[in-house]
Amino acid sequence: MRHLLPRLLALVPMLAVGAAPLEAWARGGSQRNLKIPRFAPAVFLEPIKTRTNSITYKALIALHGNFDRPSWQCEEWAKVVRGRAFLLCPRGMLRRDAPRQRRFTYRSTAAARRELEAGLAALRRRFPGKVESGPPALLMGFSLGATYASRMAAAAPQRYPRVLLLEGGHTIWTAQRARRFRRKGGKSVAFGCGTRWCARRSKKTCKRLRRAKVSCRFAYAPGLGHSYGPALTKRLQEVIDEALKTHRKRPTARHPGGRKRAPAP
């Protein structure tokens, strides 16, 4: 035992290093800026073990509301994602009526979609082979961001098959759009509300989506108001967990003789 003690003590700093990123994610920290050609830098968080394995990670995208900040969205969702995926929060454009407060908005649905797609492409260039191909695992939005995310998903279900909408986006889903969403590859819609008005409308919309055989979930945080935070995001933990069910290993290259070759670092 006396000989084992120094070895055990030597492991303590290593364990602390491994725990630190997870603690930072749980606090909503570890945010960085991502340069995007022709757009303002997005905010993003990188999965905890990206550089130590050959796994490709899913990407989750969060659109903020009007008079909001991308860093606030990333901060809240990071506490639920907890380092299991890339989290990308597009910045949008600065509100000119409050430049000193550094609040942002999006010009339109089309503008938000272009920025989102450019950001996803930039993320894949920065982390080659680490971000899963295809659509984002989940498109999230709050208020104005929820409205735009809803419109994107209704227009292109195959590109945005799973959406999570906070305090908005429920008025988009007519019976016809719900059926088309399902028919064209849409998988699920989730609503989160902090106001009674949103809760009433979202419940009705969920019923309509379910009739169209679209999976729909609903969460309500009474008294929260038109806002977001742990009282609401934690109630939607299952939606995040379902979107992050699986990771894929990067394919290994083969030598001409058939022997496997380890993927490039």
mmCIF file of all heavy atoms in Angstrom, residues 152-197:
data_model
loop_
_atom_site.group_PDB
_atom_site.id
_atom_site.type_symbol
_atom_site.label_atom_id
_atom_site.label_comp_id
_atom_site.label_asym_id
_atom_site.label_seq_id
_atom_site.Cartn_x
_atom_site.Cartn_y
_atom_site.Cartn_z
ATOM 1 N N MET A 152 -37.962 27.003 -41.243
ATOM 2 C CA MET A 152 -36.940 26.226 -41.950
ATOM 3 C C MET A 152 -37.319 24.756 -41.997
ATOM 4 O O MET A 152 -37.209 24.097 -43.035
ATOM 5 C CB MET A 152 -35.587 26.385 -41.252
ATOM 6 C CG MET A 152 -34.950 27.745 -41.351
ATOM 7 S SD MET A 152 -33.359 27.731 -40.480
ATOM 8 C CE MET A 152 -33.191 29.470 -40.072
ATOM 9 N N ALA A 153 -37.743 24.217 -40.847
ATOM 10 C CA ALA A 153 -38.090 22.800 -40.777
ATOM 11 C C ALA A 153 -39.313 22.476 -41.624
ATOM 12 O O ALA A 153 -39.355 21.452 -42.309
ATOM 13 C CB ALA A 153 -38.329 22.403 -39.325
ATOM 14 N N ALA A 154 -40.318 23.354 -41.604
ATOM 15 C CA ALA A 154 -41.525 23.118 -42.394
ATOM 16 C C ALA A 154 -41.228 23.167 -43.889
ATOM 17 O O ALA A 154 -41.815 22.421 -44.676
ATOM 18 C CB ALA A 154 -42.592 24.154 -42.036
ATOM 19 N N ALA A 155 -40.274 24.027 -44.279
ATOM 20 C CA ALA A 155 -39.933 24.161 -45.697
ATOM 21 C C ALA A 155 -38.984 23.068 -46.177
ATOM 22 O O ALA A 155 -39.044 22.655 -47.335
ATOM 23 C CB ALA A 155 -39.309 25.534 -45.952
ATOM 24 N N ALA A 156 -38.105 22.596 -45.305
ATOM 25 C CA ALA A 156 -37.104 21.591 -45.697
ATOM 26 C C ALA A 156 -36.969 20.523 -44.613
ATOM 27 O O ALA A 156 -35.976 20.479 -43.887
ATOM 28 C CB ALA A 156 -35.756 22.267 -45.962
ATOM 29 N N PRO A 157 -37.976 19.645 -44.479
ATOM 30 C CA PRO A 157 -37.953 18.625 -43.418
ATOM 31 C C PRO A 157 -36.752 17.695 -43.482
ATOM 32 O O PRO A 157 -36.239 17.264 -42.451
ATOM 33 C CB PRO A 157 -39.252 17.856 -43.649
ATOM 34 C CG PRO A 157 -40.121 18.777 -44.436
ATOM 35 C CD PRO A 157 -39.193 19.571 -45.286
ATOM 36 N N GLN A 158 -36.293 17.381 -44.698
ATOM 37 C CA GLN A 158 -35.169 16.476 -44.833
ATOM 38 C C GLN A 158 -33.875 17.111 -44.332
ATOM 39 O O GLN A 158 -32.946 16.406 -43.926
ATOM 40 C CB GLN A 158 -35.007 16.022 -46.291
ATOM 41 C CG GLN A 158 -34.500 17.080 -47.259
ATOM 42 C CD GLN A 158 -35.555 18.113 -47.658
ATOM 43 O OE1 GLN A 158 -36.711 18.037 -47.247
ATOM 44 N NE2 GLN A 158 -35.153 19.090 -48.453
ATOM 45 N N ARG A 159 -33.821 18.436 -44.343
ATOM 46 C CA ARG A 159 -32.626 19.136 -43.883
ATOM 47 C C ARG A 159 -32.680 19.423 -42.386
ATOM 48 O O ARG A 159 -31.645 19.436 -41.714
ATOM 49 C CB ARG A 159 -32.482 20.459 -44.658
ATOM 50 C CG ARG A 159 -31.212 21.238 -44.335
ATOM 51 C CD ARG A 159 -29.980 20.431 -44.615
ATOM 52 N NE ARG A 159 -28.765 21.086 -44.159
ATOM 53 C CZ ARG A 159 -27.627 20.454 -43.878
ATOM 54 N NH1 ARG A 159 -27.568 19.147 -43.998
ATOM 55 N NH2 ARG A 159 -26.562 21.116 -43.476
ATOM 56 N N TYR A 160 -33.873 19.654 -41.858
ATOM 57 C CA TYR A 160 -34.047 19.937 -40.430
ATOM 58 C C TYR A 160 -35.155 19.034 -39.878
ATOM 59 O O TYR A 160 -36.263 19.485 -39.593
ATOM 60 C CB TYR A 160 -34.394 21.410 -40.217
ATOM 61 C CG TYR A 160 -33.474 22.358 -40.952
ATOM 62 C CD1 TYR A 160 -33.910 23.049 -42.086
ATOM 63 C CD2 TYR A 160 -32.160 22.543 -40.542
ATOM 64 C CE1 TYR A 160 -33.067 23.901 -42.776
ATOM 65 C CE2 TYR A 160 -31.302 23.394 -41.227
ATOM 66 C CZ TYR A 160 -31.763 24.065 -42.348
ATOM 67 O OH TYR A 160 -30.918 24.913 -43.029
ATOM 68 N N PRO A 161 -34.861 17.746 -39.710
ATOM 69 C CA PRO A 161 -35.913 16.790 -39.329
ATOM 70 C C PRO A 161 -36.311 16.846 -37.854
ATOM 71 O O PRO A 161 -37.366 16.333 -37.492
ATOM 72 C CB PRO A 161 -35.286 15.429 -39.668
ATOM 73 C CG PRO A 161 -33.809 15.667 -39.553
ATOM 74 C CD PRO A 161 -33.580 17.079 -40.003
ATOM 75 N N ARG A 162 -35.481 17.460 -37.017
ATOM 76 C CA ARG A 162 -35.789 17.548 -35.580
ATOM 77 C C ARG A 162 -35.609 18.984 -35.108
ATOM 78 O O ARG A 162 -34.540 19.573 -35.285
ATOM 79 C CB ARG A 162 -34.873 16.620 -34.774
ATOM 80 C CG ARG A 162 -35.103 15.144 -35.040
ATOM 81 C CD ARG A 162 -34.172 14.268 -34.210
ATOM 82 N NE ARG A 162 -34.467 12.862 -34.400
ATOM 83 C CZ ARG A 162 -33.976 12.119 -35.372
ATOM 84 N NH1 ARG A 162 -33.171 12.667 -36.272
ATOM 85 N NH2 ARG A 162 -34.298 10.839 -35.471
ATOM 86 N N VAL A 163 -36.653 19.540 -34.489
ATOM 87 C CA VAL A 163 -36.577 20.915 -34.005
ATOM 88 C C VAL A 163 -37.089 20.992 -32.566
ATOM 89 O O VAL A 163 -37.972 20.236 -32.151
ATOM 90 C CB VAL A 163 -37.383 21.893 -34.897
ATOM 91 C CG1 VAL A 163 -36.685 22.121 -36.220
ATOM 92 C CG2 VAL A 163 -38.804 21.388 -35.110
ATOM 93 N N LEU A 164 -36.514 21.933 -31.823
ATOM 94 C CA LEU A 164 -36.911 22.196 -30.444
ATOM 95 C C LEU A 164 -37.152 23.693 -30.334
ATOM 96 O O LEU A 164 -36.243 24.488 -30.583
ATOM 97 C CB LEU A 164 -35.808 21.740 -29.484
ATOM 98 C CG LEU A 164 -36.164 21.577 -28.005
ATOM 99 C CD1 LEU A 164 -35.033 20.849 -27.272
ATOM 100 C CD2 LEU A 164 -36.420 22.898 -27.321
ATOM 101 N N LEU A 165 -38.367 24.080 -29.970
ATOM 102 C CA LEU A 165 -38.795 25.473 -30.071
ATOM 103 C C LEU A 165 -39.215 26.015 -28.707
ATOM 104 O O LEU A 165 -40.114 25.466 -28.070
ATOM 105 C CB LEU A 165 -39.959 25.577 -31.061
ATOM 106 C CG LEU A 165 -39.747 24.851 -32.401
ATOM 107 C CD1 LEU A 165 -41.057 24.700 -33.145
ATOM 108 C CD2 LEU A 165 -38.710 25.578 -33.247
ATOM 109 N N LEU A 166 -38.558 27.088 -28.271
ATOM 110 C CA LEU A 166 -38.894 27.718 -26.999
ATOM 111 C C LEU A 166 -39.648 29.023 -27.237
ATOM 112 O O LEU A 166 -39.168 29.891 -27.968
ATOM 113 C CB LEU A 166 -37.625 28.018 -26.192
ATOM 114 C CG LEU A 166 -36.689 26.855 -25.848
ATOM 115 C CD1 LEU A 166 -35.567 27.334 -24.935
ATOM 116 C CD2 LEU A 166 -37.440 25.700 -25.226
ATOM 117 N N GLU A 167 -40.809 29.124 -26.651
ATOM 118 C CA GLU A 167 -41.576 30.370 -26.676
ATOM 119 C C GLU A 167 -41.789 30.912 -28.087
ATOM 120 O O GLU A 167 -41.636 32.118 -28.333
ATOM 121 C CB GLU A 167 -40.897 31.432 -25.800
ATOM 122 C CG GLU A 167 -41.159 31.275 -24.318
ATOM 123 C CD GLU A 167 -42.604 31.617 -23.933
ATOM 124 O OE1 GLU A 167 -43.078 32.698 -24.307
ATOM 125 O OE2 GLU A 167 -43.248 30.781 -23.270
ATOM 126 N N GLY A 168 -42.129 30.040 -29.004
ATOM 127 C CA GLY A 168 -42.399 30.498 -30.368
ATOM 128 C C GLY A 168 -42.441 29.336 -31.345
ATOM 129 O O GLY A 168 -42.139 28.197 -31.004
ATOM 130 N N GLY A 169 -42.818 29.635 -32.570
ATOM 131 C CA GLY A 169 -42.805 28.636 -33.626
ATOM 132 C C GLY A 169 -44.016 27.744 -33.704
ATOM 133 O O GLY A 169 -44.142 26.933 -34.633
ATOM 134 N N HIS A 170 -44.973 27.876 -32.775
ATOM 135 C CA HIS A 170 -46.114 26.962 -32.776
ATOM 136 C C HIS A 170 -47.178 27.328 -33.808
ATOM 137 O O HIS A 170 -47.984 26.474 -34.190
ATOM 138 C CB HIS A 170 -46.746 26.915 -31.370
ATOM 139 C CG HIS A 170 -46.800 28.238 -30.692
ATOM 140 N ND1 HIS A 170 -45.858 28.626 -29.771
ATOM 141 C CD2 HIS A 170 -47.664 29.264 -30.803
ATOM 142 C CE1 HIS A 170 -46.155 29.839 -29.329
ATOM 143 N NE2 HIS A 170 -47.234 30.249 -29.948
ATOM 144 N N THR A 171 -47.217 28.579 -34.258
ATOM 145 C CA THR A 171 -48.263 28.988 -35.194
ATOM 146 C C THR A 171 -47.993 28.520 -36.626
ATOM 147 O O THR A 171 -48.876 28.602 -37.480
ATOM 148 C CB THR A 171 -48.427 30.516 -35.190
ATOM 149 O OG1 THR A 171 -47.192 31.119 -35.586
ATOM 150 C CG2 THR A 171 -48.810 31.015 -33.805
ATOM 151 N N ILE A 172 -46.800 28.042 -36.896
ATOM 152 C CA ILE A 172 -46.420 27.639 -38.254
ATOM 153 C C ILE A 172 -47.081 26.319 -38.663
ATOM 154 O O ILE A 172 -47.381 26.090 -39.832
ATOM 155 C CB ILE A 172 -44.884 27.487 -38.355
ATOM 156 C CG1 ILE A 172 -44.173 28.770 -37.905
ATOM 157 C CG2 ILE A 172 -44.460 27.080 -39.765
ATOM 158 C CD1 ILE A 172 -44.496 29.975 -38.723
ATOM 159 N N TRP A 173 -47.356 25.457 -37.671
ATOM 160 C CA TRP A 173 -47.694 24.074 -37.972
ATOM 161 C C TRP A 173 -49.184 23.848 -38.231
ATOM 162 O O TRP A 173 -49.905 23.346 -37.374
ATOM 163 C CB TRP A 173 -47.184 23.178 -36.856
ATOM 164 C CG TRP A 173 -45.704 23.272 -36.702
ATOM 165 C CD1 TRP A 173 -45.019 24.022 -35.785
ATOM 166 C CD2 TRP A 173 -44.726 22.645 -37.519
ATOM 167 N NE1 TRP A 173 -43.671 23.890 -35.980
ATOM 168 C CE2 TRP A 173 -43.454 23.055 -37.046
ATOM 169 C CE3 TRP A 173 -44.787 21.769 -38.613
ATOM 170 C CZ2 TRP A 173 -42.268 22.619 -37.614
ATOM 171 C CZ3 TRP A 173 -43.597 21.333 -39.189
ATOM 172 C CH2 TRP A 173 -42.367 21.752 -38.689
ATOM 173 N N THR A 174 -49.618 24.170 -39.429
ATOM 174 C CA THR A 174 -50.970 23.819 -39.857
ATOM 175 C C THR A 174 -51.032 22.309 -40.103
ATOM 176 O O THR A 174 -49.990 21.640 -40.175
ATOM 177 C CB THR A 174 -51.329 24.554 -41.148
ATOM 178 O OG1 THR A 174 -50.434 24.126 -42.188
ATOM 179 C CG2 THR A 174 -51.222 26.061 -40.976
ATOM 180 N N ALA A 175 -52.234 21.782 -40.241
ATOM 181 C CA ALA A 175 -52.386 20.351 -40.500
ATOM 182 C C ALA A 175 -51.682 19.951 -41.798
ATOM 183 O O ALA A 175 -51.034 18.897 -41.873
ATOM 184 C CB ALA A 175 -53.867 19.991 -40.572
ATOM 185 N N GLN A 176 -51.761 20.797 -42.802
ATOM 186 C CA GLN A 176 -51.120 20.499 -44.081
ATOM 187 C C GLN A 176 -49.603 20.469 -43.950
ATOM 188 O O GLN A 176 -48.944 19.567 -44.473
ATOM 189 C CB GLN A 176 -51.540 21.545 -45.124
ATOM 190 C CG GLN A 176 -50.957 21.282 -46.508
ATOM 191 C CD GLN A 176 -51.402 22.344 -47.518
ATOM 192 O OE1 GLN A 176 -52.134 23.263 -47.181
ATOM 193 N NE2 GLN A 176 -50.964 22.183 -48.750
ATOM 194 N N ARG A 177 -49.059 21.450 -43.231
ATOM 195 C CA ARG A 177 -47.600 21.484 -43.051
ATOM 196 C C ARG A 177 -47.116 20.324 -42.189
ATOM 197 O O ARG A 177 -46.028 19.788 -42.404
ATOM 198 C CB ARG A 177 -47.184 22.813 -42.432
ATOM 199 C CG ARG A 177 -47.208 23.966 -43.423
ATOM 200 C CD ARG A 177 -46.940 25.276 -42.748
ATOM 201 N NE ARG A 177 -46.913 26.374 -43.709
ATOM 202 C CZ ARG A 177 -47.048 27.651 -43.373
ATOM 203 N NH1 ARG A 177 -47.220 27.990 -42.090
ATOM 204 N NH2 ARG A 177 -47.010 28.600 -44.299
ATOM 205 N N ALA A 178 -47.907 19.944 -41.205
ATOM 206 C CA ALA A 178 -47.533 18.811 -40.360
ATOM 207 C C ALA A 178 -47.465 17.530 -41.185
ATOM 208 O O ALA A 178 -46.520 16.732 -41.046
ATOM 209 C CB ALA A 178 -48.534 18.661 -39.222
ATOM 210 N N ARG A 179 -48.451 17.320 -42.053
ATOM 211 C CA ARG A 179 -48.453 16.120 -42.894
ATOM 212 C C ARG A 179 -47.290 16.134 -43.870
ATOM 213 O O ARG A 179 -46.643 15.100 -44.094
ATOM 214 C CB ARG A 179 -49.785 16.007 -43.648
ATOM 215 C CG ARG A 179 -50.987 15.669 -42.767
ATOM 216 C CD ARG A 179 -52.186 15.287 -43.604
ATOM 217 N NE ARG A 179 -52.649 16.385 -44.441
ATOM 218 C CZ ARG A 179 -53.568 17.278 -44.071
ATOM 219 N NH1 ARG A 179 -54.115 17.202 -42.861
ATOM 220 N NH2 ARG A 179 -53.952 18.249 -44.894
ATOM 221 N N ARG A 180 -47.010 17.299 -44.453
ATOM 222 C CA ARG A 180 -45.890 17.400 -45.390
ATOM 223 C C ARG A 180 -44.564 17.166 -44.673
ATOM 224 O O ARG A 180 -43.652 16.529 -45.212
ATOM 225 C CB ARG A 180 -45.885 18.784 -46.052
ATOM 226 C CG ARG A 180 -44.777 18.957 -47.072
ATOM 227 C CD ARG A 180 -44.763 20.349 -47.682
ATOM 228 N NE ARG A 180 -43.707 20.483 -48.668
ATOM 229 C CZ ARG A 180 -42.432 20.765 -48.362
ATOM 230 N NH1 ARG A 180 -42.078 20.955 -47.092
ATOM 231 N NH2 ARG A 180 -41.527 20.854 -49.314
ATOM 232 N N PHE A 181 -44.432 17.702 -43.451
ATOM 233 C CA PHE A 181 -43.215 17.515 -42.665
ATOM 234 C C PHE A 181 -42.925 16.028 -42.474
ATOM 235 O O PHE A 181 -41.796 15.559 -42.672
ATOM 236 C CB PHE A 181 -43.381 18.207 -41.309
ATOM 237 C CG PHE A 181 -42.189 18.122 -40.400
ATOM 238 C CD1 PHE A 181 -41.046 18.859 -40.668
ATOM 239 C CD2 PHE A 181 -42.216 17.323 -39.264
ATOM 240 C CE1 PHE A 181 -39.936 18.794 -39.821
ATOM 241 C CE2 PHE A 181 -41.127 17.250 -38.408
ATOM 242 C CZ PHE A 181 -39.987 17.991 -38.690
ATOM 243 N N ARG A 182 -43.945 15.283 -42.119
ATOM 244 C CA ARG A 182 -43.796 13.842 -41.940
ATOM 245 C C ARG A 182 -43.471 13.150 -43.258
ATOM 246 O O ARG A 182 -42.576 12.290 -43.332
ATOM 247 C CB ARG A 182 -45.090 13.268 -41.347
ATOM 248 C CG ARG A 182 -45.162 11.758 -41.299
ATOM 249 C CD ARG A 182 -44.157 11.161 -40.363
ATOM 250 N NE ARG A 182 -44.301 9.716 -40.275
ATOM 251 C CZ ARG A 182 -43.477 8.934 -39.622
ATOM 252 N NH1 ARG A 182 -42.437 9.447 -38.987
ATOM 253 N NH2 ARG A 182 -43.677 7.633 -39.581
ATOM 254 N N ARG A 183 -44.173 13.520 -44.309
ATOM 255 C CA ARG A 183 -44.014 12.860 -45.609
ATOM 256 C C ARG A 183 -42.631 13.096 -46.209
ATOM 257 O O ARG A 183 -42.069 12.216 -46.869
ATOM 258 C CB ARG A 183 -45.098 13.372 -46.567
ATOM 259 C CG ARG A 183 -45.185 12.610 -47.878
ATOM 260 C CD ARG A 183 -46.389 13.037 -48.687
ATOM 261 N NE ARG A 183 -46.347 14.432 -49.106
ATOM 262 C CZ ARG A 183 -47.100 15.403 -48.611
ATOM 263 N NH1 ARG A 183 -47.984 15.124 -47.653
ATOM 264 N NH2 ARG A 183 -47.008 16.647 -49.045
ATOM 265 N N LYS A 184 -42.053 14.266 -45.949
ATOM 266 C CA LYS A 184 -40.766 14.639 -46.537
ATOM 267 C C LYS A 184 -39.559 14.316 -45.651
ATOM 268 O O LYS A 184 -38.442 14.719 -45.958
ATOM 269 C CB LYS A 184 -40.767 16.130 -46.858
ATOM 270 C CG LYS A 184 -41.782 16.558 -47.909
ATOM 271 C CD LYS A 184 -41.434 15.999 -49.281
ATOM 272 C CE LYS A 184 -42.381 16.535 -50.350
ATOM 273 N NZ LYS A 184 -42.013 16.030 -51.703
ATOM 274 N N GLY A 185 -39.793 13.599 -44.555
ATOM 275 C CA GLY A 185 -38.642 13.162 -43.755
ATOM 276 C C GLY A 185 -38.527 13.767 -42.366
ATOM 277 O O GLY A 185 -37.563 13.485 -41.655
ATOM 278 N N GLY A 186 -39.479 14.619 -41.964
ATOM 279 C CA GLY A 186 -39.449 15.191 -40.626
ATOM 280 C C GLY A 186 -39.646 14.125 -39.559
ATOM 281 O O GLY A 186 -40.403 13.172 -39.753
ATOM 282 N N LYS A 187 -38.970 14.287 -38.428
ATOM 283 C CA LYS A 187 -39.019 13.268 -37.372
ATOM 284 C C LYS A 187 -39.742 13.739 -36.111
ATOM 285 O O LYS A 187 -40.606 13.029 -35.598
ATOM 286 C CB LYS A 187 -37.587 12.856 -36.998
ATOM 287 C CG LYS A 187 -36.775 12.299 -38.153
ATOM 288 C CD LYS A 187 -37.362 11.018 -38.687
ATOM 289 C CE LYS A 187 -36.472 10.440 -39.791
ATOM 290 N NZ LYS A 187 -37.067 9.221 -40.401
ATOM 291 N N SER A 188 -39.368 14.900 -35.594
ATOM 292 C CA SER A 188 -39.937 15.305 -34.307
ATOM 293 C C SER A 188 -39.925 16.815 -34.129
ATOM 294 O O SER A 188 -39.082 17.523 -34.689
ATOM 295 C CB SER A 188 -39.163 14.648 -33.153
ATOM 296 O OG SER A 188 -37.834 15.148 -33.096
ATOM 297 N N VAL A 189 -40.878 17.272 -33.326
ATOM 298 C CA VAL A 189 -40.978 18.681 -32.939
ATOM 299 C C VAL A 189 -41.199 18.709 -31.430
ATOM 300 O O VAL A 189 -41.976 17.914 -30.896
ATOM 301 C CB VAL A 189 -42.149 19.391 -33.655
ATOM 302 C CG1 VAL A 189 -42.230 20.858 -33.213
ATOM 303 C CG2 VAL A 189 -41.997 19.296 -35.170
ATOM 304 N N ALA A 190 -40.501 19.606 -30.750
ATOM 305 C CA ALA A 190 -40.685 19.760 -29.303
ATOM 306 C C ALA A 190 -40.894 21.232 -28.989
ATOM 307 O O ALA A 190 -40.280 22.102 -29.614
ATOM 308 C CB ALA A 190 -39.477 19.215 -28.541
ATOM 309 N N PHE A 191 -41.764 21.492 -28.021
ATOM 310 C CA PHE A 191 -42.054 22.861 -27.601
ATOM 311 C C PHE A 191 -41.725 23.045 -26.123
ATOM 312 O O PHE A 191 -41.981 22.158 -25.308
ATOM 313 C CB PHE A 191 -43.543 23.191 -27.814
ATOM 314 C CG PHE A 191 -43.989 23.170 -29.244
ATOM 315 C CD1 PHE A 191 -44.639 22.059 -29.771
ATOM 316 C CD2 PHE A 191 -43.755 24.257 -30.078
ATOM 317 C CE1 PHE A 191 -45.059 22.027 -31.085
ATOM 318 C CE2 PHE A 191 -44.170 24.231 -31.402
ATOM 319 C CZ PHE A 191 -44.819 23.120 -31.913
ATOM 320 N N GLY A 192 -41.186 24.208 -25.807
ATOM 321 C CA GLY A 192 -40.940 24.570 -24.421
ATOM 322 C C GLY A 192 -41.515 25.948 -24.163
ATOM 323 O O GLY A 192 -41.294 26.877 -24.952
ATOM 324 N N CYS A 193 -42.277 26.097 -23.087
ATOM 325 C CA CYS A 193 -42.968 27.360 -22.825
ATOM 326 C C CYS A 193 -42.772 27.824 -21.382
ATOM 327 O O CYS A 193 -42.691 27.011 -20.455
ATOM 328 C CB CYS A 193 -44.464 27.215 -23.094
ATOM 329 S SG CYS A 193 -44.874 26.875 -24.822
ATOM 330 N N GLY A 194 -42.743 29.141 -21.232
ATOM 331 C CA GLY A 194 -42.696 29.752 -19.907
ATOM 332 C C GLY A 194 -43.880 30.661 -19.668
ATOM 333 O O GLY A 194 -44.030 31.219 -18.579
ATOM 334 N N THR A 195 -44.732 30.823 -20.685
ATOM 335 C CA THR A 195 -45.939 31.642 -20.561
ATOM 336 C C THR A 195 -47.166 30.772 -20.819
ATOM 337 O O THR A 195 -47.108 29.785 -21.560
ATOM 338 C CB THR A 195 -45.930 32.803 -21.571
ATOM 339 O OG1 THR A 195 -45.887 32.270 -22.906
ATOM 340 C CG2 THR A 195 -44.723 33.712 -21.361
ATOM 341 N N ARG A 196 -48.305 31.162 -20.231
ATOM 342 C CA ARG A 196 -49.545 30.397 -20.420
ATOM 343 C C ARG A 196 -49.999 30.430 -21.870
ATOM 344 O O ARG A 196 -50.503 29.434 -22.390
ATOM 345 C CB ARG A 196 -50.640 30.964 -19.521
ATOM 346 C CG ARG A 196 -50.402 30.721 -18.034
ATOM 347 C CD ARG A 196 -51.553 31.303 -17.230
ATOM 348 N NE ARG A 196 -51.348 31.106 -15.790
ATOM 349 C CZ ARG A 196 -52.194 31.542 -14.864
ATOM 350 N NH1 ARG A 196 -53.304 32.197 -15.225
ATOM 351 N NH2 ARG A 196 -51.938 31.328 -13.587
ATOM 352 N N TRP A 197 -49.853 31.589 -22.501
ATOM 353 C CA TRP A 197 -50.288 31.724 -23.889
ATOM 354 C C TRP A 197 -49.544 30.739 -24.781
ATOM 355 O O TRP A 197 -50.157 30.023 -25.581
ATOM 356 C CB TRP A 197 -50.048 33.149 -24.362
ATOM 357 C CG TRP A 197 -50.446 33.381 -25.785
ATOM 358 C CD1 TRP A 197 -51.701 33.636 -26.250
ATOM 359 C CD2 TRP A 197 -49.590 33.343 -26.939
ATOM 360 N NE1 TRP A 197 -51.681 33.772 -27.625
ATOM 361 C CE2 TRP A 197 -50.398 33.597 -28.070
ATOM 362 C CE3 TRP A 197 -48.230 33.135 -27.123
ATOM 363 C CZ2 TRP A 197 -49.881 33.640 -29.357
ATOM 364 C CZ3 TRP A 197 -47.707 33.169 -28.405
ATOM 365 C CH2 TRP A 197 -48.545 33.419 -29.506
#
